[in-house]
Amino acid sequence: MEFEQGLKVFFADHGSKQTALAAVRSIRAWAERRNAENVAVARSYLAGQGPFPERAAVLTLMGRFMVDFVDMVAAWADWATTVIEAWPDDLRLAEPEWSVWEETARHELPEPVDAGAGMRRSG
């Protein structure tokens, strides 16, 4: 995943608490801007003014993906802000959120999906 502000958070322990918070605030601001764009596009299609009306069905799929993704990023930024604010100023002394590791470890993995299924060449 390429995301400059995410890299700043990833290496937060090499910086300051304020730098980590600034990176997360920047991520939250990106999500707010992106959702404003998503809402504007959706409203344009609902008003019959979308730029590619013939593609509306397909664009709905990716539009939903983007809205869900951006909502997840915004929720993560809110959570991360709360976590970082509780950290000491010396980030090397911050305690991990062990409950997050535990929740991730309990995550059920789905059965593998054959990405090529249904995409056979004709002819």
Side-chain angles (χ1 to χ4, degrees):
M1 179 174 172
E2 294 182 31
F3 195 27
E4 181 180 347
Q5 296 307 318
L7 282 173
K8 290 181 181 181
V9 175
F10 187 77
F11 291 107
D13 52 335
H14 296 281
S16 71
K17 181 176 176 176
Q18 293 310 313
T19 301
L21 285 168
V24 172
R25 277 194 301 272
S26 179
I27 291 169
R28 182 67 162 97
W30 171 86
E32 290 171 5
R33 288 189 308 274
R34 186 67 215 155
N35 255 348
E37 292 172 16
N38 293 337
V39 168
V41 169
R43 288 179 178 167
S44 74
Y45 277 94
L46 289 172
Q49 300 170 346
F52 305 103
E54 71 283 0
R55 300 196 68 226
V58 172
L59 295 175
T60 300
L61 298 174
M62 290 311 298
R64 175 63 184 265
F65 171 83
M66 288 304 300
V67 167
D68 288 351
F69 177 74
V70 171
D71 285 347
M72 180 273 304
V73 169
W76 173 86
D78 293 342
W79 169 81
T81 297
T82 301
V83 170
I84 295 169
E85 285 175 343
W87 285 352
D89 288 334
D90 184 345
L91 299 186
R92 295 172 297 170
L93 302 175
E95 285 293 319
E97 292 287 320
W98 290 110
S99 63
V100 173
W101 286 117
E102 291 165 355
E103 182 180 340
T104 301
R106 287 191 305 269
H107 192 78
E108 293 291 326
L109 299 176
E111 290 294 319
V113 176
D114 180 2
M119 300 180 66
R120 307 284 183 236
R121 290 187 199 184
S122 59

